[in-house]
Structure formats: structure tokens, C-alpha cells
Amino acid sequence: MAREVFIKGLQHKAIESIINHVIEYETPKVVTVHNPSIGLLRRSLQLGVVLYVGLYQLWYAQGYQEFADMESSVTTKVKGYSQSSLGSKRPPIPSAQSMMYERVWDEADYVVPPAENGAFFVTTNVVITPNQTMGHCPEDPGEVPESICTDSNNCMANKHLIKSHGPQTGRCIPTDRPAKYGNITVCEIQSWCPVEDDRLVLGNDTSLITGSENHTVFIKNSIRFSYFGDRFHRNNMPDHVCIYNFTDPDSWMCNIFKLGDIVAAAGGDYLTLSISGGV
């Protein structure tokens, strides 16, 4: 009998405990402490966290962004042709060599080298020294005045002069350019002969290759952020091929330019540039 009463009491307590857990809840107790030092310290820490996240992480460090390296390239291609002519200023050039000067020049001739890193070179004037072979010949007294001699005692074998085209052989011989320097004698050298003559064939007021200001250059820019996928790939290719015109706003997205327009936009004179060259 006592055992049954004990079991019933345990069952009653278990049911009561379950019911209490279902209908009861806990809540924290908030205590307000009036302490200026602790209050200011708490607000200072909160303000510091807000400033660190808002100013440094979001505004200065831009921590919400992702960064990736850029892949870019610039491609250039020059097109056009020119025709050179000696004209009325024809210098005393043998007729067999005239074809070297009076000819048609295309991009394979005047773009040297054909590809450069971030640049392109266009030939507008040339100095031609035909039929050069390795041998012995007179030095150029215009470039090397020290090579002028009166006899072979003034020339020393294997001697190198400043700006010389090669070592001396020890002989004093007549110059091969009497029309330019007169009947003088110079030291003989071992070099590519005849030595280069830097005189411009049409003088200092006309370039040999004319019309190059109308040559065009195609400039293609491409930029890509491969980390973010193919959607982030841009270039300056319009819907159609067109030539840039500085006076026409509708053409300002074109990527084909005339060489003359590029020099004019940079404030240069193309005629002067085509004679003496420039960078």
C-alpha cells in the first residue's frame, strides 16, 4: 500500500514538472547603474566600433569590395602607301640608283620594326648608302676631321678615332667625295664601304617620302577583369569601322586616326617632323 502511494506521488511530481516547464519562461533582469565613469566608457567603446566599421572598413579601406588585377592590351596597325620622287631637286645620283629613291613605299617598307611595345615607327625620310661591302675605303672627313692627313705617317694601323666608322689601316689616300670636301687626302679605314653619307638627298626642307600624313593607324584598346568573368571585358571597337575626325563629335568613338591629325593634335608640325624625325 505504501509503495503504491509512493509511485503515485512520483507520477504527480513528474506531471507537475512538465507542466511548469511548458507554461513558465525566463527573462533577464536589467539593472540601471548611475555611474558616470562606466557610462562614458561604454559609450566611447560603442562609438569607436561604429567609427571603425563606418569610416575605416567601409569608406577608407572599402572592405565591401573585391579587387582583381587588370589585363589590358593595345594593338596598332598602320596602313597606307606613299610615292617618293626626286623631283626638280634631283641630286647627282647615278641613273642606276634612282630607282632606290623613286619608288612606292607601303607599310612593309616604312613601318620598321613591324611591331613595337606600345608604339609604332613610320619612316618619312631616308638616307641610302647603296652597294655597301666590307673592305677598305676613305674615312668621312666631315664626321671625323681628325682623319685628314698629308701622308701615311699621320695614319696609324688599328687606331680608333671618336665617331670613326672603323679602324685605320695606316694608309693615307684621296677622299672618295671630292665634290663635297675637295681634293684632300684622308686615312683609310676598314669598314662597310663606302661609309654612310648622312646628307639628306632632298636637303633640309623636303622629305623624300611624301604623303605619309594621310596614312592611317588603327589603335585597339582592350581591358579585361578575368576574375569577375567574361562580362567585364571592354574594348574600343565601335559597331563599324570609321576614321576619327577632330571636328566631328559623331566620330569621337572611332579608333582609326590619320598620322597628320595626331601630330596636329599634339601641337606639332608634320612637315618639319617628317624631315628631321621625332618621338
Side-chain angles (χ1 to χ4, degrees):
M1 184 69 180
R3 183 179 179 182
E4 294 178 357
V5 173
F6 176 74
I7 293 175
K8 289 181 179 181
L10 290 177
Q11 294 175 346
H12 177 75
K13 288 181 178 182
I15 295 174
E16 183 180 359
S17 176
I18 294 173
I19 294 174
N20 290 336
H21 278 84
V22 172
I23 65 177
E24 291 178 355
Y25 67 95
E26 296 179 356
T27 182
K29 184 177 181 180
V30 178
V31 179
T32 303
V33 179
H34 295 277
N35 189 314
S37 300
I38 296 178
L40 290 176
L41 177 61
R42 178 171 176 266
R43 297 305 180 189
S44 298
L45 293 175
Q46 291 176 341
L47 180 61
V49 172
V50 172
L51 292 177
Y52 173 77
V53 174
L55 295 181
Y56 179 77
Q57 287 291 346
L58 297 180
W59 180 72
Y60 179 76
Q62 297 181 350
Y64 58 91
Q65 297 183 354
E66 286 188 279
F67 295 88
D69 293 334
M70 177 187 65
E71 301 172 5
S72 63
S73 64
V74 179
T75 304
T76 61
K77 186 174 184 180
V78 181
K79 297 288 290 184
Y81 73 91
S82 296
Q83 186 171 8
S84 58
S85 175
L86 297 176
S88 60
K89 296 183 179 181
R90 178 179 294 272
I93 296 176
S95 57
Q97 299 178 5
S98 297
M99 60 178 300
M100 297 182 181
Y101 297 92
E102 297 182 320
R103 48 168 291 191
V104 175
W105 304 75
D106 61 11
E107 56 269 16
D109 299 313
Y110 59 74
V111 180
V112 181
E116 288 190 76
N117 185 17
F120 58 90
F121 180 86
V122 177
T123 303
T124 57
N125 213 351
V126 294
V127 174
I128 301 176
T129 306
N131 303 323
Q132 275 189 316
T133 57
M134 180 61 69
H136 299 87
C137 54
E139 178 62 276
D140 187 346
E143 293 189 29
V144 190
E146 296 85 355
S147 65
I148 300 176
C149 59
T150 56
D151 54 49
S152 295
N153 293 328
N154 302 128
C155 304
M156 184 181 301
N158 297 320
K159 182 179 180 180
H160 298 267
L161 298 177
I162 298 176
K163 297 181 65 177
S164 176
H165 294 87
Q168 295 181 0
T169 63
R171 297 177 56 200
C172 183
I173 60 176
T175 180
D176 58 349
R177 297 168 183 174
K180 182 178 181 182
Y181 301 115
N183 295 319
I184 62 175
T185 53
V186 296
C187 292
E188 185 185 56
I189 62 171
Q190 180 182 1
S191 180
W192 286 100
C193 300
V195 296
E196 182 179 352
D197 187 353
D198 287 336
R199 289 178 299 173
L200 298 176
V201 65
L202 295 182
N204 296 322
D205 56 355
T206 305
S207 62
L208 178 65
I209 305 175
T210 59
S212 58
E213 66 274 8
N214 294 319
H215 295 174
T216 59
V217 53
F218 169 76
I219 302 177
K220 178 183 177 182
N221 299 320
S222 178
I223 184 172
R224 180 187 181 92
F225 295 91
S226 57
Y227 177 80
F228 300 104
D230 293 336
R231 294 188 300 110
F232 296 91
H233 180 204
R234 299 291 185 272
N235 56 46
N236 64 335
M237 291 292 292
D239 296 333
H240 60 283
V241 177
C242 55
I243 298 178
Y244 188 95
N245 187 345
F246 290 92
T247 61
D248 184 8
D250 294 335
S251 69
W252 287 357
M253 293 300 295
C254 297
N255 51 11
I256 298 178
F257 305 85
K258 288 185 177 181
L259 298 182
D261 292 340
I262 295 176
V263 175
D269 181 74
Y270 195 88
L271 178 60
T272 303
L273 190 66
S274 65
I275 297 172
S276 56
V279 179

